[in-house]
Amino acid sequence: MMRTDVSLNRIAELSGLSASTVSRVLRDRPGVSAEARRAVEVALRTLGVASALPEDSPAVVAVVQAEVTGADVDPFETLYLETVRRIYRVGKVALRVTTGPELPSPATRLQEFGVAGAVVLGGQSAGPEAKRLAALNVPVVRVSNARHEGTGQIVLDASQGIDTAVRHLVHLGHRRIGIAVPEDSAAANRVAAYRRSMADLLHIAATRDQAPVAQAGPGILAGAQAADGLLRANCSAVISCSPALTFGVLESARRLGLDVPQDLSLLTVGEMPDADVVHPPLSQVTFDWGRLAQTAISELERLMAGAGTLPDYSVAPELVLRSSELPVRTR
């Protein structure tokens, strides 16, 4: 049945275009690119609205992510949104797939559904799905924090990002720098990179006492508990490697009456949604998510066209300074 209740903003969201551009396409105004027209047509078909699409249905690309646990924050949500926009822009349909330990594996159903390929974001339960899809000969590009075998991959080099964060804080005069990392497949690499950087830059042994580490499971409460340990260790600066941990540090500092950044400097590594509007605006070592999404889709299209060589990239983040860190002061 044809739908007639779809809003202009909803079409704009799915197509990755502005509402004004969608309006010009729908009114058949001149000056609109063929790419924009195709993106709107694919969005209309996805929403169940009749359009001027050709008879052949567009290819479906699955975007696979692990379910978010409890009050945790999805560290790949921005990348997901950027990936979906680019899938529509190349004339394909995006299908969001969520995996979890209590959910049945969707791999076989996706193959039967006829998905043309899949972008797998992150680890946890999404990792096994990437392997299952590849075993079913579905082209897969995986974007995650750790290196894996058997699929095309784009590795987010958190170790280099941590080194950048440590260097920046040392430059500001900090010597008691702690790190908070999530308990995942990249935890050991993150901790090793942190201790290596601390040892090289501060000329210390970087033992637990000299380089405090806190690991936490999912959720802001777990992040706050991990942060408590770092603040009890008298850290003047903390590097946080997940959104939940970052919020946990902010909550822990608030409970202890510490001001960020006057009493405690905070630097995040990786994705932090709305980092520029949090109080204080958070400095980050982060990635160009738009470029990452474009690379993932370009490489997936290449695999879908029959290319035999699996992509293997390692991407380094960049430092974005805002207002959450200051030169060290005695407290």
Side-chain angles (χ1 to χ4, degrees), residues 15 17 21 25 32-42 85-86 88-91 294:
S15 63
L17 303 171
T21 299
V25 171
V32 180
S33 69
E35 182 185 54
R37 293 182 185 279
R38 184 171 63 245
V40 170
E41 289 178 339
V42 173
R85 291 189 184 104
R86 280 154 180 79
Y88 281 102
R89 286 178 184 173
V90 298
Q294 183 61 57

